Amino acid sequence: MKNTENMPRIGETFLPVTKEECDELGWSAPDFVYVTGDAYVDHPSFGTAIISRVLEAEGFRVAILSQPDYKSCEAFKRFGRPRLGFLVSAGNIDSMVAHYTASKKKRSYDYYSPGGKMGLRPDRATIVYSNRIREAYGDIPIILGGLEASLRRFSHYDYWENRIRRSVLVDSRADILTYGMGENILVRIAKLLDKGVPIKKIHDVRGTVYLTKADDTVHFESVSCPSFDEVKNDKKAYAKAFGIQYREQDSVRGRAVTEMYDDKMLVQNPPMPPLEREELDRVYALPYTRKVHPMYAKDGGVPGIQEVEFSITHNRGCFGACNFCALAFHQGRSVRSRSIESVVGEAKIITEMPGFKGYIHDIGGPTANFRYPACDKQLTEGVCAGRKCLTPTPCKNLKVDHSEYIELLKQVESLSKIKKVFIRSGIRFDYLIYDNDERFFKKLVKDHVSGQLKVAPEHCSDNVLKCMGKPVIDVYEKFRKRFFEITKEVGKEQYLVPYLMSSHPGSRLSDAVALAEYLKKTGCSPEQVQDYYPTPGTASTVMFYTGYDPLTMKEVFCESDYHGKTLQRALLQFNRPENADLVREALRKCGREDLIGNTPNCLVRPNQQYSDGNFKKSVENKNSRPDRQKESKAGKYSGKSSQNQANNRKTGVQGKKNTRDTRNKGKK
């Protein structure tokens, strides 16, 4: 008999968002008030929904305070004083990333606010909300969580202020911080508070960070990293500190990490173990309404639901460990996944939802084609501290197996109301190409690509790829060639949409020229290019600020000059008329005038031409669209522009907003 306890189901009611709703439920006070910088969406792709439903399932009363007016403390008094405390999160992504582009310009659209409206949450929302709560209620337990808190738990480089900031726990005046995936962490804290344990005494919960006296005893075996005073004044010390913190992010072998702030000691306990399959199934079986709260109907809803409404998350964690991605620092490198039965159960729910037209938009996660830890050793000894699973070459212990993912996809697409299942999360192409069994590769190309497959070669220079933690370009070339061979075999016209990044640490102007040559050779004309964005919690950000790779302590070149970055970006879109002057300037600086001319291998034409013996300056129409190659034959990229491609470029892991901006994306 099938166990239905952990089968997904759909709920009918939201958690209370007003005092009146609490009164109707007979609550004298909620146990927790969950303060979030996002609009309230009760869907398992949103951290607020998951944590609040998990606590509800454990018998706790949770009220949601979504995007409160942060200009005073009055909005934080809406529910009165909660019995156990406040939970505070900036939302699904870092509030600074949500508000500013890589060039530090203000964004005009917020995917996690009603109608996409900007300005409904403050910069550094975690700090602002916590300080308002202190104003309202004084010494009440405040527990931080979510991505912003998780990635700012130690002293960290802040790109927007160009300086080292203290841990968000220090600046927020909160009591405790939870990092990583927070379900079991918060249940443990909630039960201790319910038993009357003071928040200041909770020092033994994994996955938490707290401040204590400098001479206090740490509950777990610990290692010290340089103090805040050291790292703010010494870039090499900062790189060293991050390296220590990064290597301890493992629930099996990781130790506690301490960092001094004058006479106070910040303690990060070892990570909480990842949820195992049955636990994950239970989380996704909770009664989410899977809807945007109706209070936002007048604003047209919340844009962030659109990409995930008919999508399914089947895994967590990523052993790819790209240096520009914060997943390793947040969700961890040890992969876990849901059962096939659980995923199929959620798919059945989706088929009954209003607006479903027969298409599952994604069955993915941080990396779609991961289902298990990279090797058996990780289960007993943890992930390797000094070795990555896939780069620079695949580890000899790596297990490459897509068989269960194939079965999962088959069972979902066999449901009667489903026409097609797409995979829109990132596919790790190197892991795929290392699989000698091509069944998944062929099925992917035949059944699960919606015309365009997003992949992330990022660059072609071996040095830059090494700094990124990506495989050499030959691996991508092998994948690209085979993709188009299979595409031709199945009689389809499909394209690769490559993610490319300019100005990543390690990338010199000559590397950008090499990438432009590669794009010219392969017939790729990218519509969008991502400038490197230094966000908290990544090794690449440390490289950008310090000039050192924190995992090796080797020096790394970093382009910090704005014009230098502009030149690199222009080279990646060399065929745009508006970039012509910049491309010529870049090529001259690199001594590559051979690429300026009218021959097929040149990137840009000369800006002066002779006609009938008279000197004439060519006119470039800056308002025209660039010539882009449209290749219908398998074996080439598509330069074809489409709104879907542009939208895909704006969306990231698990269908959510932004690419590199939110690859550090995770749930609380």
Side-chain angles (χ1 to χ4, degrees):
M1 183 176 179
K2 183 179 288 187
N3 180 12
T4 60
E5 177 187 356
N6 290 341
M7 292 301 291
R9 58 190 187 278
I10 197 161
E12 297 179 356
T13 60
F14 291 85
L15 295 176
V17 297
T18 66
K19 181 67 167 64
E20 291 72 24
E21 290 176 345
C22 290
D23 293 340
E24 290 173 7
L25 293 169
W27 298 2
S28 57
D31 295 322
F32 293 101
V33 173
Y34 193 126
V35 184
T36 174
D38 289 344
Y40 178 29
V41 181
D42 189 31
H43 187 282
S45 290
F46 291 74
T48 297
I50 286 184
I51 296 302
S52 58
R53 290 296 184 185
V54 165
L55 289 172
E56 179 192 42
E58 294 292 333
F60 294 100
R61 298 171 173 179
V62 183
I64 306 296
L65 182 57
S66 176
Q67 298 187 320
D69 181 357
Y70 55 88
K71 296 180 178 64
S72 76
C73 66
E74 290 307 308
F76 296 82
K77 299 177 181 178
R78 179 184 300 176
F79 300 99
R81 186 184 183 95
R83 185 174 71 90
L84 298 177
F86 280 87
L87 309 176
V88 177
S89 169
N92 262 14
I93 62 176
D94 186 282
S95 59
M96 299 301 288
V97 175
H99 292 169
Y100 301 95
T101 68
S103 58
K104 301 185 183 180
K105 295 179 181 178
K106 279 207 167 186
R107 299 189 191 275
S108 59
Y109 200 77
D110 187 338
Y111 278 72
Y112 296 104
S113 291
K117 184 178 179 181
M118 291 295 294
L120 298 183
R121 79 180 110 211
D123 287 354
R124 312 189 193 285
T126 303
I127 296 172
V128 175
Y129 291 157
S130 297
N131 286 328
R132 289 289 179 261
I133 293 167
R134 282 281 177 251
E135 290 177 35
Y137 291 108
D139 192 21
I140 190 170
I142 300 177
I143 304 161
L144 306 183
L147 194 73
E148 181 168 284
S150 183
L151 300 183
R152 296 173 181 267
R153 58 190 185 264
F154 291 103
S155 53
H156 55 278
Y157 172 68
D158 186 89
Y159 172 62
W160 303 272
E161 291 185 348
N162 192 31
R163 68 180 178 93
I164 299 294
R165 288 184 63 98
R166 300 184 297 183
S167 164
V168 70
L169 181 63
V170 177
D171 286 342
S172 67
R173 299 186 294 163
D175 295 290
I176 198 167
L177 180 153
T178 66
Y179 69 92
M181 311 307 279
E183 295 94 343
N184 286 347
I185 305 169
L186 281 163
V187 168
R188 173 69 175 150
I189 294 172
K191 288 182 177 180
L192 289 171
L193 291 173
D194 194 39
K195 290 179 179 178
V197 178
I199 189 77
K200 302 290 188 185
K201 298 289 186 182
I202 299 177
H203 290 173
D204 63 346
V205 177
R206 283 177 169 266
T208 62
V209 181
Y210 62 90
L211 273 173
T212 189
K213 295 177 182 177
D215 58 354
D216 273 2
T217 301
V218 179
H219 185 81
F220 299 90
E221 180 187 356
S222 65
V223 58
S224 298
C225 64
S227 69
F228 171 69
D229 283 339
E230 290 179 88
V231 301
K232 75 176 181 181
N233 295 313
D234 185 341
K235 291 183 177 182
K236 196 167 188 177
Y238 177 61
K240 178 182 176 183
F242 182 88
I244 293 170
Q245 296 155 12
Y246 184 93
R247 284 186 283 270
E248 299 301 329
Q249 298 312 304
D250 183 78
S251 62
V252 178
R253 56 162 182 77
R255 297 168 290 180
V257 180
T258 63
E259 180 182 60
M260 297 303 300
Y261 288 83
D262 297 326
D263 61 342
K264 294 287 187 181
M265 178 171 61
L266 181 138
V267 181
Q268 177 197 269
N269 286 336
M272 181 67 77
L275 298 186
E276 298 298 341
R277 179 160 289 187
E278 185 174 298
E279 294 175 297
L280 273 176
D281 287 356
R282 194 177 304 125
V283 166
Y284 285 90
L286 297 173
Y288 308 97
T289 62
R290 307 183 72 87
K291 299 177 183 176
V292 173
H293 194 281
M295 64 181 166
Y296 305 122
K298 65 183 186 301
D299 302 299
V302 178
I305 190 66
Q306 294 171 6
E307 283 292 330
V308 299
E309 187 175 12
F310 303 125
S311 297
I312 299 172
T313 300
H314 78 92
N315 64 9
R316 284 185 181 178
C318 180
F319 53 77
C322 299
N323 286 337
F324 51 76
C325 174
L327 273 164
F329 209 59
H330 182 62
Q331 289 193 14
R333 292 164 56 195
S334 190
V335 172
R336 298 294 188 276
S337 59
R338 297 165 60 187
S339 69
I340 292 177
E341 292 76 17
S342 174
V343 174
V344 171
E346 185 172 356
K348 289 178 179 177
I349 287 176
I350 289 175
T351 64
E352 302 299 327
M353 291 171 59
F356 180 69
K357 297 180 180 179
Y359 301 98
I360 299 290
H361 294 164
D362 189 24
I363 299 181
T367 296
N369 54 327
F370 291 170
R371 287 284 289 170
Y372 288 101
C375 68
D376 293 335
K377 176 186 171 185
Q378 290 185 356
L379 296 171
T380 56
E381 299 180 38
V383 297
C384 297
R387 175 71 163 89
K388 293 189 176 184
C389 304
L390 291 171
T391 60
T393 56
C395 175
K396 64 179 181 180
N397 296 318
L398 179 69
K399 295 177 66 175
V400 184
D401 186 357
H402 289 92
S403 58
E404 189 181 58
Y405 192 32
I406 294 171
E407 182 60 27
L408 185 159
L409 294 168
K410 285 181 176 179
Q411 290 199 28
V412 171
E413 63 190 356
S414 70
L415 297 177
S416 60
K417 295 185 179 181
I418 290 180
K419 299 175 183 177
K420 193 84 170 176
V421 175
F422 295 115
I423 299 175
R424 291 181 175 172
S425 297
I427 289 287
R428 189 75 191 209
F429 64 82
D430 47 352
Y431 183 74
L432 186 155
I433 208 70
Y434 296 148
D435 193 346
N436 293 324
D437 182 347
E438 282 198 325
R439 284 183 303 151
F440 173 67
F441 202 166
K442 291 181 177 180
K443 181 169 175 54
L444 169 70
V445 174
K446 179 176 179 289
D447 298 328
H448 304 293
V449 177
S450 57
Q452 299 172 331
L453 178 66
K454 296 182 294 182
V455 285
E458 306 292 1
H459 215 282
C460 71
S461 164
D462 286 349
N463 179 60
V464 180
L465 291 168
K466 184 178 180 181
C467 291
M468 291 177 165
K470 299 287 289 186
V472 295
I473 196 64
D474 289 347
V475 178
Y476 177 69
E477 277 298 298
K478 184 178 179 181
F479 163 81
R480 186 175 73 90
K481 179 182 178 182
R482 189 64 185 129
F483 173 85
F484 286 115
E485 287 174 350
I486 298 173
T487 296
K488 186 175 182 180
E489 289 171 9
V490 299
K492 291 193 171 187
E493 183 177 324
Q494 297 182 145
Y495 306 100
L496 292 174
V497 180
Y499 286 143
L500 300 169
M501 191 187 299
S502 64
S503 302
H504 185 277
S507 178
R508 297 179 183 272
L509 194 58
S510 57
D511 294 304
V513 172
L515 181 54
E517 288 185 280
Y518 174 78
L519 297 176
K520 175 87 171 181
K521 176 183 176 182
T522 55
C524 179
S525 181
E527 276 293 302
Q528 295 183 345
V529 174
Q530 176 69 44
D531 283 337
Y532 171 65
Y533 197 166
T535 56
T538 76
S540 295
T541 297
V542 180
M543 296 180 206
F544 174 84
Y545 172 64
T546 68
Y548 292 98
D549 182 339
L551 306 182
T552 65
M553 293 308 296
K554 293 181 179 179
E555 292 188 15
V556 177
F557 169 80
C558 297
E559 181 59 82
S560 57
D561 178 71
Y562 179 79
H563 187 64
K565 292 181 180 180
T566 302
L567 292 177
Q568 289 205 29
R569 181 184 179 89
L571 281 164
L572 271 60
Q573 295 175 316
F574 60 86
N575 59 352
R576 292 193 171 189
E578 63 267 30
N579 289 340
D581 287 341
L582 292 169
V583 172
R584 283 189 285 265
E585 178 186 348
L587 293 173
R588 290 189 181 108
K589 280 190 172 185
C590 292
R592 294 300 309 273
E593 288 89 347
D594 59 301
L595 297 178
I596 303 173
N598 299 310
T599 58
N601 67 306
C602 290
L603 298 180
V604 65
R605 295 188 179 200
N607 64 342
Q608 293 179 337
Q609 296 179 343
Y610 288 88
S611 176
D612 297 328
N614 296 319
F615 174 79
K616 292 184 178 181
K617 189 170 184 177
S618 63
V619 178
E620 294 169 345
N621 183 359
K622 295 183 182 293
N623 296 320
S624 67
R625 304 255 337 212
D627 294 333
R628 291 164 297 171
Q629 296 184 13
K630 297 184 179 181
E631 187 67 57
S632 61
K633 295 180 181 180
K636 292 286 185 183
Y637 289 106
S638 167
K640 181 170 59 177
S641 173
S642 71
Q643 187 59 43
N644 184 51
Q645 178 176 339
N647 288 339
N648 284 345
R649 189 57 175 156
K650 292 178 182 176
T651 57
V653 173
Q654 300 174 45
K656 297 183 181 68
K657 183 225 175 220
N658 293 333
T659 51
R660 227 66 68 229
D661 298 3
T662 55
R663 281 196 189 179
N664 37 10
K665 175 110 161 262
K667 298 177 212 55
K668 184 172 177 180

